[in-house]
Amino acid sequence: MRSSFFISLLAATSYVRAHVPKLGADGKYTISSSSIKAQFIPYGATLTNLFVKDKDGKDVDVVLGYDDIAYYPKDPGHPVYNSIPGRYVNRIGHGTYSIDNKTYKTELNDGTNTLHSGTNNWSYRTWNVTAATDDSITFTIRDEPNSEKGMPGLILANVTYSVCGDRWSIKMDAVSPSVKSPLMLTHHTYFNLDAYKNPDTVKIWNHTLYMPYSKRYLVADDGALPTGKIATAEASSINDFASAPGLPLGHAQRLQGFSSNCGGGGACEGYNGYFLIEDAPADTAVVTLASPFSGIKAELRTDQPGVVIYSCNWFDGTADLKSTQGTGRNKKVVRSSCVAIEAQDYVDGINHPEWGRRNTQITGPGQKYSWESSWTFTTL
Ligand SMILES: *[C@@H]1O[C@H](CO)[C@@H](O)[C@H](O)[C@H]1NC(C)=O
Ligand SMILES: *[C@@H]1O[C@H](CO)[C@@H](O)[C@H](O)[C@H]1NC(C)=O
Ligand SMILES: *[C@@H]1O[C@H](CO)[C@@H](O)[C@H](O)[C@H]1NC(C)=O
Ligand SMILES: *[C@@H]1O[C@H](CO)[C@@H](O)[C@H](O)[C@H]1NC(C)=O
Ligand SMILES: *[C@@H]1O[C@H](CO)[C@@H](O)[C@H](O)[C@H]1NC(C)=O
């Protein structure tokens, strides 16, 4: 009696599962193509795992994250692992901006600035799954007006992730039907193309980075806030990833200024800044990240005019790696062991009319915001 009860319960469970094939027992939704398997959760519309082929044809999980999905909301570090910080990504200088001569105040949650919209942030929300197939999934979010947090007006947004062959695509759309609001999105993707399995180094410095259309970058202050100045990186200088393919991320490690290149009172080594993408032909790879160890090459195509490169300085070695990553010795996310690559509009462009980005960064009734990028994974 008892055992037959359990057998029918088991049968009922697998019956239900058979009709929701995308959702695994671990709470992750899986989509796949011939060479990519990608997994997502509704929290933050987060990519939790991304398996691509290495030079030997083996599957490697190339993005950071956690095995246990219950840990994402609890993680005190909340690095915005492969999720969508909205409705206005990155910094708002001094927690203020204005639209039509009305000044709004946003929360100061990053020194004297606002980061990822303060407590209005979308990377802390549980999004709704509104469509799913074998190779694509759509998440939606309804972000209510929140004027006291400096975010006026309702925003309706969605993201569709899809995979096809060796390409992972991301498409976001959003509208602000009631009033004009700041609206600027990104996908905050963290990579280590070796899945922390290189026995010689878990640091990111031997990955190579090539951004041929990114000779210019936004000069930032100690709090990673752009000053307004746009500089050109000379060949072989710290911020040069344009002059030649195959420059290691750590090519400037021995140059003076590298260990304090991203502010933090001189404590931030490497990169946490915005590079412009200029004069790139349509559908061209604008960022190429590769690693000689795994042989994996990742190419970004995007409709965005620039990209934030953050080389994971602020990881303190307390967060666990996933079970798909690391080796016996390497089990933690240590400082400078990953790189976040975030295609987006100019950081704090809402406060810099001289850059001409305000019209793109503010969306109002009758307008539609859209954002599109893809990553192609091949081998060296
Ligand atoms: C904002 O203020 C300026 C200067 O006072 C004025 O010229 C402009 O028309 C105002 N704009 C709006 C949308 O009210
Ligand atoms: C993001 O929003 C959540 C929920 O409102 C809040 O708990 C968290 O502190 C916010 N994070 C930041 C960095 O402001
Ligand atoms: C998800 O859908 C429910 C029901 O329509 C809605 O109440 C909720 O606000 C949605 N959640 C988000 C994050 O948009
Ligand atoms: C996403 O949102 C846009 C703008 O609201 C809408 O036009 C589009 O139909 C939505 N797409 C999906 C797949 O939900
Ligand atoms: C990193 O690259 C440098 C030169 O590009 C090389 O000398 C070094 O052995 C590499 N280190 C590791 C751990 O792969």
Side-chain angles (χ1 to χ4, degrees):
M1 183 63 193
R2 207 182 145 82
S3 63
S4 72
F5 169 76
F6 278 108
I7 286 162
S8 52
L9 193 70
L10 211 65
T13 309
S14 40
Y15 175 80
V16 172
R17 287 254 169 78
H19 287 75
V20 196
K22 299 290 154 268
L23 180 56
D26 57 2
K28 298 178 179 177
Y29 290 83
T30 301
I31 63 174
S32 52
S33 68
S34 50
S35 64
I36 299 179
K37 182 172 106 172
Q39 298 183 294
F40 302 89
I41 54 170
Y43 183 76
T46 299
L47 169 77
T48 59
N49 302 74
L50 182 65
F51 296 93
V52 306
K53 302 288 182 196
D54 72 3
K55 59 178 191 268
D56 302 319
K58 292 209 189 78
D59 293 319
V60 177
D61 188 0
V62 294
V63 295
L64 276 74
Y66 301 116
D67 284 331
D68 178 10
I69 71 163
Y71 191 64
Y72 282 86
K74 290 185 199 153
D75 173 11
H78 194 85
V80 193
Y81 267 165
N82 323 325
S83 70
I84 298 163
R87 65 175 71 173
Y88 189 90
V89 64
N90 210 296
R91 287 168 182 81
I92 296 177
H94 314 294
T96 184
Y97 67 90
S98 62
I99 297 178
D100 293 343
N101 294 339
K102 183 169 168 17
T103 299
Y104 295 88
K105 297 269 177 221
T106 53
E107 290 160 291
L108 305 181
N109 64 337
D110 186 64
T112 54
N113 305 311
T114 301
L115 182 60
H116 301 324
S117 305
T119 49
N120 201 60
N121 54 73
W122 293 1
S123 72
Y124 287 76
R125 309 271 183 91
T126 300
W127 297 46
N128 287 314
V129 178
T130 50
T133 69
D134 287 343
D135 57 13
S136 84
I137 186 163
T138 301
F139 295 95
T140 65
I141 186 169
R142 181 185 171 88
D143 185 13
E144 299 292 346
N146 212 336
S147 291
E148 71 274 20
K149 288 175 178 163
M151 299 287 157
L154 171 74
I155 303 278
L156 301 170
N158 54 44
V159 57
T160 298
Y161 298 113
S162 59
V163 288
C164 180
D166 57 14
R167 185 175 289 209
W168 168 44
S169 303
I170 312 156
K171 185 166 178 13
M172 298 193 261
D173 286 298
V175 291
S176 178
S178 52
V179 297
K180 289 185 195 170
S181 173
L183 183 54
M184 177 162 117
L185 303 175
T186 193
H187 195 271
H188 204 297
T189 329
Y190 283 94
F191 293 102
N192 179 305
L193 297 178
D194 299 338
Y196 289 80
K197 289 179 191 291
N198 183 344
D200 297 324
T201 182
V202 294
K203 298 278 184 175
I204 203 69
W205 307 128
N206 273 36
H207 280 51
T208 61
L209 184 69
Y210 184 40
M211 305 197 292
Y213 306 101
S214 301
K215 290 188 178 66
R216 298 205 299 162
Y217 63 95
L218 297 183
V219 175
D221 68 14
D222 191 60
L225 181 72
T227 60
K229 210 180 145 206
I230 301 180
T232 300
E234 300 302 325
S236 303
S237 66
I238 295 176
N239 291 311
D240 172 33
F241 290 102
S243 68
L247 281 177
L249 255 163
H251 78 85
Q253 246 180 320
R254 277 166 214 90
L255 295 186
Q256 197 188 352
F258 184 86
S259 63
S260 58
N261 192 48
C262 40
C268 185
E269 67 172 357
Y271 304 93
N272 187 16
Y274 187 81
F275 293 80
L276 283 59
I277 298 170
E278 297 177 292
D279 305 322
D283 203 35
T284 308
V286 290
V287 177
T288 300
L289 179 73
S291 173
F293 176 76
S294 63
I296 295 170
K297 179 165 97 172
E299 289 177 314
L300 173 72
R301 287 171 173 77
T302 183
D303 63 3
Q304 296 299 295
V307 67
V308 169
I309 301 291
Y310 166 50
S311 57
C312 295
N313 178 77
W314 300 111
F315 285 82
D316 60 5
T318 53
D320 284 327
L321 289 171
K322 289 180 282 190
S323 54
T324 50
Q325 301 181 321
T327 60
R329 279 179 297 140
N330 310 326
K331 289 181 160 33
K332 302 281 184 187
V333 184
V334 299
R335 183 184 187 205
S336 306
S337 65
C338 50
V339 61
I341 302 183
E342 309 150 51
Q344 61 159 88
D345 215 280
Y346 291 36
V347 173
D348 197 32
I350 198 167
N351 284 316
H352 290 277
E354 72 276 20
W355 294 339
R357 305 308 305 173
R358 271 177 56 90
N359 284 347
T360 312
Q361 299 190 3
I362 296 168
T363 298
Q367 297 176 317
K368 190 170 156 185
Y369 173 93
S370 69
W371 183 105
E372 209 168 347
S373 294
S374 72
W375 284 98
T376 303
F377 297 92
T378 54
T379 51
L380 288 170

